[in-house]
Amino acid sequence: MNFPSTFLGRPWWQGVSALLAIVGLGLTIIVASCDDQKENRTPKPTIQNNGNNNQNGDNNTLNIQSYAPKIGAIEFPRPRPLAYYVYLDSIESLGSPPEVDATHARDSCSLWEQWLGANPKMFALAPYSNVELVAGSEDVVAIKNILPTIYGEASIPPGSTIITCRYGGAPAGDGFTGYIDTRTNRTEVRAGEGEQKTIWIPDRSLSLSEKGFSYGAFKFRSDSDHAYTGTLAIEESVNGEKRTQSVGDKARPLRWVSSIGRELPKYGWDPQRKKWIHNYVPPNANNLPAD
């Protein structure tokens, strides 16, 4: 099977540029970064289909290759909301949030993280986790499986409220996007222009076997209009050593809603008037600095 050549990229952190290419049936993703040993030089994008299933001889691996000085590791932080929380109650029952400087009001989600996390009725809407795989010249790192554990699930009750706390967009992965399906315990990983190349974890693994890093986003895929609590276990391999990374626990579980299929009232906090305002948007929201 021949895949058409595609290109996906945008500027990375501090001028590092990214390149993706998918190779043959093994769905090899190549991420090329600028060589920090040579200033002002960006590697020429190379997109090819050489017919190799992969470079490790393992047909169940999605290889990601890149070039930058890093140490083998996988960073999988706690998922955060794109812009909204679902509050399973009316706005009248929600107290005042922590003070927010009006000039830094675009991303109150970050400033309110502890306050929101302490409220058991507050659930992140469509949360994401920006994940980074890093490797040195001799490293091979891989995500082998992502296993969600559900502690609780309930329909969103009438009278619930959407809380807005981020305006003007949110970060996303440059290299790939993964969708953690809590109903099947499988994760769909998409990459390439238009995300048209797909693998499934644990059927295959997501790996980085060259010196460098790859950066992507993982999101939940659960039943719409349902609120969930639970945790994630990420099964990893770093240079052949198997590890399990836990995200969330019983004392501080993850709380999320994948999607909303009906209209709910939406409120934002006005730091000037110090009250929740229906459909509130800060003045010049897109020009405000993000925290």
Side-chain angles (χ1 to χ4, degrees):
M1 181 183 299
N2 293 321
F3 293 120
S5 295
T6 58
F7 177 79
L8 171 64
R10 68 183 176 120
W12 282 14
W13 306 319
Q14 299 180 355
V16 178
S17 60
L19 164 71
L20 283 175
I22 297 190
V23 181
L25 295 176
L27 296 179
T28 300
I29 298 181
I30 301 175
V31 180
S33 310
C34 61
D35 185 348
D36 61 359
Q37 302 299 322
K38 300 178 181 179
E39 295 183 358
N40 300 321
R41 177 180 175 183
T42 301
K44 181 180 179 180
T46 301
I47 299 175
Q48 58 184 342
N49 186 346
N50 61 15
N52 294 330
N53 284 338
N54 54 70
Q55 298 204 357
N56 291 334
D58 181 355
N59 289 331
N60 293 323
T61 300
L62 174 62
N63 273 342
I64 306 172
Q65 297 181 341
S66 59
Y67 304 89
K70 291 285 184 176
I71 298 174
I74 297 173
E75 298 293 335
F76 201 122
R78 190 180 182 92
R80 302 176 61 195
L82 286 171
Y84 308 102
Y85 279 84
V86 179
Y87 179 52
L88 306 187
D89 210 331
S90 64
I91 194 65
E92 288 76 18
S93 67
L94 184 61
S96 301
E99 288 289 337
V100 175
D101 186 336
T103 62
H104 292 267
R106 196 183 81 177
D107 186 9
S108 299
C109 294
S110 298
L111 301 175
W112 295 344
E113 187 171 0
Q114 291 187 348
W115 178 74
L116 293 165
N119 192 326
K121 293 184 178 182
M122 198 72 72
F123 290 74
L125 177 57
Y128 69 99
S129 181
N130 277 341
V131 177
E132 182 177 340
L133 287 78
V134 297
S137 59
E138 303 298 324
D139 292 325
V140 178
V141 298
I143 296 176
K144 297 290 188 178
N145 204 2
I146 303 175
L147 293 171
T149 297
I150 304 301
Y151 294 152
E153 174 188 355
S155 298
I156 296 175
S160 296
T161 308
I162 292 179
I163 302 300
T164 306
C165 54
R166 180 180 285 121
Y167 307 88
D174 292 274
F176 56 88
T177 305
Y179 300 89
I180 305 166
D181 195 322
T182 62
R183 300 158 296 189
T184 63
N185 284 355
R186 299 177 75 214
T187 298
E188 180 184 13
V189 181
R190 300 177 182 175
E193 187 176 349
E195 295 187 335
Q196 79 279 21
K197 308 301 181 183
T198 301
I199 69 161
W200 290 87
I201 297 174
D203 302 348
R204 298 183 180 179
S205 62
L206 183 66
S207 72
L208 177 61
S209 58
E210 293 284 349
K211 183 171 69 174
F213 67 90
S214 184
Y215 180 63
F218 280 86
K219 305 175 183 180
F220 285 108
R221 181 182 286 164
S222 305
D223 288 339
S224 181
D225 296 318
H226 281 69
Y228 293 83
T229 58
T231 61
L232 293 175
I234 297 89
E235 295 180 356
E236 309 169 353
S237 176
V238 179
N239 299 324
E241 178 184 349
K242 295 181 179 179
R243 306 175 181 178
T244 299
Q245 182 177 165
S246 297
V247 181
D249 53 40
K250 287 188 176 180
R252 190 176 175 231
L254 306 177
R255 297 195 297 266
W256 73 91
V257 173
S258 286
S259 61
I260 297 290
R262 66 181 191 269
E263 290 293 327
L264 293 178
K266 186 182 300 181
Y267 284 83
W269 179 257
D270 184 340
Q272 299 289 349
R273 288 180 282 180
K274 299 186 183 303
K275 61 187 298 186
W276 295 104
I277 304 297
H278 187 245
N279 291 331
Y280 174 76
V281 176
N284 301 318
N286 291 333
N287 296 323
L288 293 174
D291 293 288

